[in-house]
Amino acid sequence: MNLKEAFRYQNKLQSLIDEAEMVLRNPSVTTTVQDTYLYSRVECGALDETVIRDAESEYSGQINQMVDFALCLLAQKENLAGQIHLAKMALPIDLDAEISLNAKRQSVARALEHMDGLKGTEQVIRGGGTGFRFNVAGDQVAYKCDIKRVIQINFDRNAVRNRISTLRRKADSISTQIDQCMVNSEVAFEEPFDVNDSFSNIFASYCASNQFVPILRAVANTGSKADS
């Protein structure tokens, strides 16, 4: 797969992990509720009755598999992240830095374009001003007057336009390079399931085929080495 596909698959793995966590955090899935009605304590000779509440989730009987499934997904995500890192190292540009910089180039260009759209104006604001004067009795009183407001730009419009063009050309050039890197790069990762599959289908496939078992063993071996 290329980097573009790898990023999409990385997002899929994250969404699956999040959903598996929700299942494992749900007490109605991870616990069994058993109520015993102690009739014998109230009525002599009565028999107690035990009632087990029905599970509220389709995964209630598969908690152990769900735990392993979550760990396997995490191992897959770790493996994919490592392969993405290796693929990025082989690129002619610093992909993460250039994506961030290009977003800022475009943001600054939009700010300059806003400046370029400003126009000088002249208007009269009727009764917008307040003055003071003394009346015949010698008292100071306020009065209203019009305001003539003139707005002029205080920057070199041509210089701003030149800088917009420079920024846009740079951003377009880097965008092209980023697109080429995303499509032409090679990420050494073999996806264990289709990115469009649902959580329930992927989990069912995992339970049926144990397709992630080799990864679990690899994780276990890594942990054993670290402990030693």
Side-chain angles (χ1 to χ4, degrees), residues 20 24 59-72 203 206-208 210 212 216:
L24 297 175
Y59 305 115
S60 296
Q62 300 174 296
I63 298 304
N64 293 328
Q65 294 95 322
M66 186 62 70
V67 171
D68 290 344
F69 182 59
L71 293 175
C72 289
F203 179 63
Y206 161 76
C207 292
N210 291 324
F212 299 130
L216 266 185

Side-chain angles (χ1 to χ4, degrees), residues 11-66:
N11 292 334
K12 177 68 173 183
L13 284 169
Q14 185 59 56
S15 69
L16 292 173
I17 292 171
D18 291 343
E19 193 161 350
E21 283 188 62
M22 290 179 61
V23 173
L24 297 175
R25 289 177 185 272
N26 188 348
S28 66
V29 182
T30 57
T31 61
T32 299
V33 179
Q34 176 178 298
D35 292 331
T36 299
Y37 293 82
L38 304 175
Y39 299 130
S40 61
R41 295 187 180 183
V42 179
E43 183 179 355
C44 182
L47 298 177
D48 296 338
E49 180 183 358
T50 298
V51 176
I52 299 177
R53 296 184 190 176
D54 293 334
E56 298 180 11
S57 171
E58 60 182 302
Y59 305 115
S60 296
Q62 300 174 296
I63 298 304
N64 293 328
Q65 294 95 322
M66 186 62 70

Side-chain angles (χ1 to χ4, degrees), residues 103-199:
K104 186 51 61 179
R105 291 184 187 105
Q106 292 166 346
S107 176
V108 172
R110 287 192 295 270
L112 296 182
E113 286 169 346
H114 174 75
M115 288 177 58
D116 184 39
L118 296 176
K119 299 182 182 299
T121 61
E122 180 177 319
Q123 65 178 134
V124 175
I125 304 173
R126 301 297 180 185
T130 302
F132 295 91
R133 64 184 175 186
F134 292 98
N135 60 17
V136 293
D139 299 323
Q140 189 179 52
V141 295
Y143 63 91
K144 294 290 185 180
C145 67
D146 296 342
I147 297 177
K148 179 182 179 182
R149 176 170 293 169
V150 177
I151 298 177
Q152 297 176 317
I153 61 171
N154 58 1
F155 58 88
D156 186 336
R157 193 187 300 275
N158 290 328
V160 168
R161 288 175 176 174
N162 289 335
R163 284 160 175 76
I164 292 172
S165 297
T166 300
L167 274 174
R168 286 300 185 191
R169 284 195 300 270
K170 178 72 171 179
D172 289 344
S173 174
I174 295 298
S175 290
T176 299
Q177 292 183 56
I178 291 173
D179 290 341
Q180 291 174 345
C181 289
M182 295 285 279
V183 174
N184 297 329
S185 59
E186 186 66 28
V187 179
F189 180 81
E190 184 176 351
E191 57 269 39
F193 50 80
D194 191 282
V195 71
N196 295 309
D197 284 351
S198 67
F199 178 88

